[in-house]
Amino acid sequence: MNNLKIIFFSITLTFLLACNTTPESNEIKVDELIMSKVDSLLKLMSLEEKVGQLSQRFSAGLDNKLSDDIKNGQVGSLLNGRKNFYTVKERNKIQKIAIEETRLGIPIIFGHDVIHGFRTIFPISLAQSCTWSPKLIERANSVAASEAAANGVDWAFAPMVDVSRDPRWGRIAESYGEDTYLNAIFSKAAVNGFQGKDVSSEGKVIACLKHFVGYGAATGGRDYQYTEISDRTMHEVYLPSFEAGVNAGALTVMSAFNDINGVPATANKKYIRKTLKEKMNFNGFVVSDWDAVEELIKHGIASDKREAALLAINAGVDMEMKTLTYQKLTEEVKANNLSENIIDEAVGRILFVKYKKGLFKNPYTSLTNVDKANPTLEKRKLARQIASESMVLLKNKENILPLKNKKINIAVVGLFANETNVMGWWQSLGKNEEVVTPYSGLKNNADSNITITKEVNSKTDVIIACVGESSTLFGENHSRTNIKLPNNQEAFLNKLKKKGKPIITVVFNGRPLDLTGVLESSEAVLIGWHPGIETGNALADLIYGKSNPSGKLTTSFPKSVGQIPVYYNQRNSGRPHQSNYRDETSKPLFPFGFGLSYSNFEYDNLIVSKEKLNRKDSLVISAQITNNSNVQGTEIVQLYVQDIVGSTTRPVKELKGFRKITLAPNESKVVNFTLKTNDLTVLNDNFIPIIEPGKFNVWISTNSDKGLKGSFEIEK
Ligand code: GLC
């Protein structure tokens, strides 16, 4: 039966594809065909088999219990750990049980956290976002997908697209930063990288937008905690990155741990069913986060596992990760406490995704590709490029950097000088021994003029101090109240300073840090983040001037933890001139969009093409950027807008565009941004975007704190 159906499916699909239809209509036809397959399969399934599809089980390996549960049709999906995954042989052996030893042979979908690489580990997502390059993010995730797929992963629990504005929160490291506009752009790029145009083709994996929704707003920056988010803020700040990912075709979404205004995300029908499934027209499936369904009991909204399961399935959570409360749904349907239609909808979505992934046609992973899934020179080259474009130069006193064209003796010291654990919290199958450490990178890439030592000595001309946070000081459940360098590293820098040599401090961090002390001790400060496998080579490229820093912050760096929350696009108060603390200003140490270069970029001649726009109109804002230096450089030119008066109060500034441009020495380029009135909408009380007349300020700038300013008006 099963094989016959596959043959029928393939013939029909081939016929359809032969028709000269457009890709979009082709996609629709394929989906319609899949839906008809899903419907016919659903009709064959018993209630128990349907409920079995709703469980994602955690299992380190295949044991008798798992084997029996698979044979009983109780396992729809599997995951097996943060830093490990089944071998292809083991994965196929497990799959074979599902295909050959169950009544309907429905394949299992295998999931894994492929957050910023699988074997070739790229910089952490917060670092990648500082490249401001959707293309690089797409390429990194495409490589990650190909490696993961070759190793039997069907489904990556990524991208994490939670807007994150609290450096105390450890998972800010996994995010694309504090800005909604950037998060939405990178969400789309990451989904395209993972799924490609056809997710059933080789080397692609199902993407998973997480964590739905508002997880980054955890109270006190403490992971898993309560969030208080107004509907307006939810729609203006936290939902757009999910909508962008859904529109890019993401086939799964993961419900979050946090409580949203009294209704936990995993029991939140309003946001899952109404907003995600209906308003955003999401046709994939929703999986809960780890244990999050059963944790509804701890949240205090379910009295037992049965209630937790009913709340989550009715809210629209189609698959339960790890806990087994959904096994109770069979009795609930039989007792008429739950409509079987709800089960059918959940199973239908899961089967739709399994068909889209091609798991019915190709349930097994080929053994021939596994070797291709290791780091290659070409993949390392990409990782090296992304790492160097993600690093952010915060200080470069008297242009001490780059160190080149001179005979020089460099001492490379600090906790991270020889550290291989610079792969972030989610390391997947990355291997420490494959990581190029800061010291080896600087040593191996040094030209004959440069001597590298591990200690400071009398011959030392410059010290490179490698400091930072270990990967167990950020990431999941690793929030901190103190966002200074840990392990007395500031004292270490102060002590180093007494040696009277210039210090270049490189920070390997996972979050915005309070660097006030570090700045005082250092002639130069470079944010390295956790750059992954090519750490040392990327660092050397920047230090020796082989590449010119271009990274720009996507999160504000506070002067102190007391300033949090501090992010650029806040709303005004009625007394904007009185927004400071008694003991501190309200301005961050480094603003969103900040990053220095070895070049010196000058902004001139802002032109706003028209002063007044009608409601369906557009205008062009341009400025001339000049590289006033003798070294080629890349500048991320940013466009900010302020809607001065709205039907609700508006942020003091909003990023509405950016261009990453490379200029030769003394080259000038006019950068144009086209703004349409549709780019300037506000959400009305029903959260429908509307165009409101009124005055706007506009800036073209090198960061969010300054810029050439103009204005225009949308006429009544
Ligand atoms: C974790 C994380 C989630 C991850 C999942 C599976 O608790 O919250 O991001 O995908 O469990 O590892």
Side-chain angles (χ1 to χ4, degrees):
M1 166 74 89
N2 193 26
N3 292 333
L4 191 63
K5 292 178 104 29
I6 287 175
I7 291 165
F8 164 75
F9 174 74
S10 321
I11 292 169
T12 323
L13 184 58
T14 314
F15 166 73
L16 262 178
L17 294 178
C19 312
N20 57 346
T21 51
T22 63
E24 294 70 32
S25 65
N26 212 355
E27 175 81 19
I28 293 169
K29 282 192 182 344
V30 170
D31 285 357
E32 281 164 3
L33 194 74
I34 289 177
M35 283 318 294
S36 67
K37 310 284 308 150
V38 168
D39 289 345
S40 19
L41 182 50
L42 264 175
K43 289 189 179 81
L44 300 174
M45 293 172 78
S46 68
L47 175 59
E48 288 73 11
E49 286 163 334
K50 291 177 187 175
V51 169
Q53 285 298 308
L54 310 185
S55 274
Q56 178 179 60
R57 304 286 285 277
F58 167 73
S59 180
L62 178 60
D63 55 23
N64 293 337
K65 167 96 178 68
L66 179 62
S67 173
D68 292 345
D69 288 349
I70 295 172
K71 287 174 191 165
N72 295 329
Q74 295 305 301
V75 181
S77 174
L78 277 169
L79 81 155
N80 93 324
R82 176 163 74 95
K83 288 187 173 181
N84 47 44
F85 192 70
Y86 305 102
T87 63
V88 171
K89 274 207 177 87
E90 202 176 22
R91 177 231 192 258
N92 288 342
K93 190 175 167 198
I94 292 170
Q95 188 72 294
K96 196 164 184 289
I97 300 170
I99 301 295
E100 298 184 0
E101 300 186 54
T102 63
R103 192 172 72 87
L104 292 168
I106 298 172
I108 287 169
I109 184 166
F110 290 80
H112 178 69
D113 289 285
V114 188
I115 309 300
H116 50 96
F118 182 78
R119 283 279 297 108
T120 306
I121 303 301
F122 293 97
I124 57 173
S125 303
L126 187 56
Q128 291 189 31
S129 70
C130 291
T131 67
W132 292 52
S133 170
K135 201 64 213 145
L136 285 178
I137 286 175
E138 180 175 342
R139 288 177 62 197
N141 286 309
S142 179
V143 167
S146 66
E147 294 184 343
N151 278 274
V153 176
D154 305 311
W155 176 21
F157 302 134
M160 186 267 215
V161 292
D162 300 307
V163 168
S164 305
R165 295 170 159 175
D166 193 329
R168 296 170 295 181
W169 190 48
R171 302 196 76 169
I172 194 168
E174 295 169 58
S175 81
Y176 292 131
E178 71 188 40
D179 180 69
T180 300
Y181 175 82
L182 278 187
N183 265 277
I185 287 173
F186 298 151
S187 171
K188 175 181 174 191
V191 170
N192 290 338
F194 281 124
Q195 297 190 171
K197 296 220 175 325
D198 172 5
V199 71
S200 68
S201 49
E202 189 178 294
K204 292 301 169 192
V205 295
I206 301 282
C208 182
L209 303 169
K210 69 184 190 183
H211 307 76
F212 193 77
V213 60
Y215 183 33
T219 300
R222 281 178 294 121
D223 208 353
Y224 313 125
Q225 302 312 308
Y226 185 88
T227 59
E228 188 70 71
I229 308 173
S230 70
D231 270 354
R232 176 160 294 281
T233 298
M234 194 62 99
H235 284 82
E236 289 185 355
V237 177
Y238 295 103
L239 286 169
S241 55
F242 288 90
E243 186 158 24
V246 168
N247 292 342
L251 286 168
T252 66
V253 168
M254 184 183 291
S255 71
F257 289 121
N258 53 293
D259 180 328
I260 305 171
N261 311 333
V263 181
T266 299
N268 203 300
K269 186 183 282 189
K270 171 170 133 180
Y271 283 116
I272 296 178
R273 283 201 184 281
K274 293 266 165 290
T275 306
L276 175 68
K277 290 185 171 181
E278 291 167 23
K279 190 172 169 194
M280 293 186 191
N281 192 23
F282 172 63
N283 56 19
F285 72 82
V286 175
V287 63
S288 76
D289 202 338
W290 181 283
D291 289 352
V293 175
E294 191 165 316
E295 286 176 0
L296 296 175
I297 299 169
K298 295 269 178 42
H299 274 288
I301 197 165
S303 55
D304 57 25
K305 292 179 183 177
R306 173 189 160 278
E307 262 189 33
L310 286 170
L311 276 171
I313 194 75
N314 279 310
V317 177
D318 304 301
M319 184 183 279
E320 177 182 18
M321 182 189 287
K322 168 86 166 28
T323 45
L324 305 173
T325 69
Y326 274 20
Q327 290 178 349
K328 298 179 177 308
L329 296 178
T330 309
E331 305 118 68
E332 293 309 313
V333 172
K334 288 177 179 164
N336 282 325
N337 295 331
L338 176 69
S339 155
E340 189 160 355
N341 293 339
I342 295 280
I343 301 289
D344 287 353
E345 185 237 340
V347 182
R349 286 171 177 271
I350 291 165
L351 295 177
F352 175 76
V353 173
K354 290 185 175 182
Y355 272 115
K356 282 287 273 190
K357 183 67 190 84
L359 283 170
F360 284 87
K361 217 167 140 208
N362 302 308
Y364 302 109
T365 301
S366 155
L367 284 165
T368 55
N369 297 331
V370 182
D371 296 346
K372 277 191 259 171
N374 292 324
T376 61
L377 281 180
E378 190 195 349
K379 290 189 246 181
R380 279 184 174 271
K381 197 162 156 255
L382 177 62
R384 181 171 182 163
Q385 178 190 353
I386 294 173
S388 67
E389 293 193 31
S390 66
M391 294 183 184
V392 183
L393 184 62
L394 296 183
K395 179 179 181 183
N396 191 19
K397 190 175 167 193
E398 289 153 18
N399 295 324
I400 183 172
L401 283 174
L403 305 177
K404 68 178 193 179
N405 306 333
K406 47 192 169 194
K407 200 154 180 50
I408 195 167
N409 196 316
I410 305 172
V412 182
V413 297
L415 286 183
F416 283 74
N418 296 292
E419 180 56 72
T420 58
N421 189 350
V422 280
M423 294 186 280
W425 159 254
W426 295 102
Q427 301 179 6
S428 215
L429 269 58
K431 293 191 166 76
N432 283 49
E433 61 271 22
E434 293 171 345
V435 172
V436 179
T437 65
Y439 177 80
S440 12
L442 289 162
K443 179 96 178 150
N444 302 341
N445 292 284
D447 67 23
S448 53
N449 291 328
I450 293 176
T451 309
I452 299 283
T453 61
K454 288 192 171 181
E455 306 285 334
V456 180
N457 57 44
S458 57
K459 296 200 186 77
T460 300
D461 300 305
V462 177
I463 298 171
I464 294 183
C466 300
V467 296
E469 288 177 293
S470 76
S471 64
T472 53
L473 266 179
F474 56 86
E476 183 171 348
N477 197 18
H478 288 98
S479 301
R480 294 175 64 198
T481 58
N482 173 346
I483 57 167
K484 289 178 180 291
L485 279 176
N487 313 105
N488 296 323
Q489 292 176 93
E490 275 196 24
F492 166 75
L493 290 173
N494 292 334
K495 204 163 149 239
L496 264 188
K497 193 165 173 55
K498 294 191 171 66
K499 297 185 185 281
K501 316 271 184 185
I503 299 174
I504 293 160
T505 299
V506 185
V507 187
F508 297 97
N509 52 319
R511 58 164 50 86
L513 292 176
D514 166 1
L515 297 174
T516 38
V518 172
L519 282 177
E520 282 155 27
S521 315
S522 316
E523 272 63 37
V525 176
L526 179 69
I527 296 294
W529 305 111
H530 269 225
I533 192 169
E534 281 290 301
T535 291
N537 288 333
L539 176 61
D541 290 346
L542 293 175
I543 294 289
Y544 299 143
K546 208 173 138 206
S547 45
N548 186 346
S550 59
K552 297 262 187 183
L553 296 179
T554 55
T555 48
S556 310
F557 272 49
K559 286 196 186 90
S560 79
V561 73
Q563 283 187 319
I564 294 171
V566 59
Y567 50 90
Y568 87 95
N569 43 0
Q570 304 219 9
R571 287 181 163 74
N572 249 334
S573 73
R575 299 184 179 181
H577 56 292
Q578 289 181 324
S579 64
N580 292 331
Y581 301 91
R582 284 286 154 221
D583 56 352
E584 190 54 275
T585 71
S586 57
K587 277 200 179 288
L589 187 60
F590 293 102
F592 173 86
F594 183 90
L596 300 176
S597 164
Y598 299 150
S599 307
N600 172 34
F601 295 107
E602 283 175 4
Y603 286 60
D604 297 300
N605 198 16
L606 181 90
I607 298 172
V608 179
S609 65
K610 53 178 87 167
E611 284 182 13
K612 293 193 183 310
L613 292 90
N614 59 48
R615 299 174 70 81
K616 283 280 170 210
D617 203 344
S618 67
L619 79 166
V620 175
I621 304 109
S622 64
Q624 177 174 286
I625 319 296
T626 303
N627 174 2
N628 193 2
S629 79
N630 59 7
V631 60
Q632 173 173 300
T634 299
E635 168 74 342
I636 297 166
V637 181
Q638 299 149 49
L639 175 76
Y640 293 94
V641 168
Q642 177 188 18
D643 183 349
I644 300 171
V645 178
S647 50
T648 58
T649 55
R650 314 303 313 134
V652 292
K653 247 179 202 183
E654 290 176 273
L655 181 71
K656 289 287 181 187
F658 60 89
R659 290 276 191 297
K660 192 166 179 175
I661 61 169
T662 297
L663 295 175
N666 304 310
E667 182 188 3
S668 288
K669 196 177 273 182
V670 173
V671 176
N672 294 303
F673 292 97
T674 300
L675 263 182
K676 300 187 293 300
T677 43
N678 277 342
D679 299 320
L680 302 164
T681 55
V682 293
L683 299 177
N684 67 10
D685 290 347
N686 299 318
F687 307 114
I688 309 292
I690 55 168
I691 296 166
E692 291 187 332
K695 289 190 169 49
F696 290 76
N697 287 324
V698 61
W699 295 264
I700 289 185
S701 169
T702 184
N703 68 55
S704 62
D705 192 39
K706 56 199 290 193
L708 300 176
K709 183 176 177 181
S711 59
F712 62 88
E713 181 177 357
I714 297 179
E715 291 177 298
K716 281 188 176 43

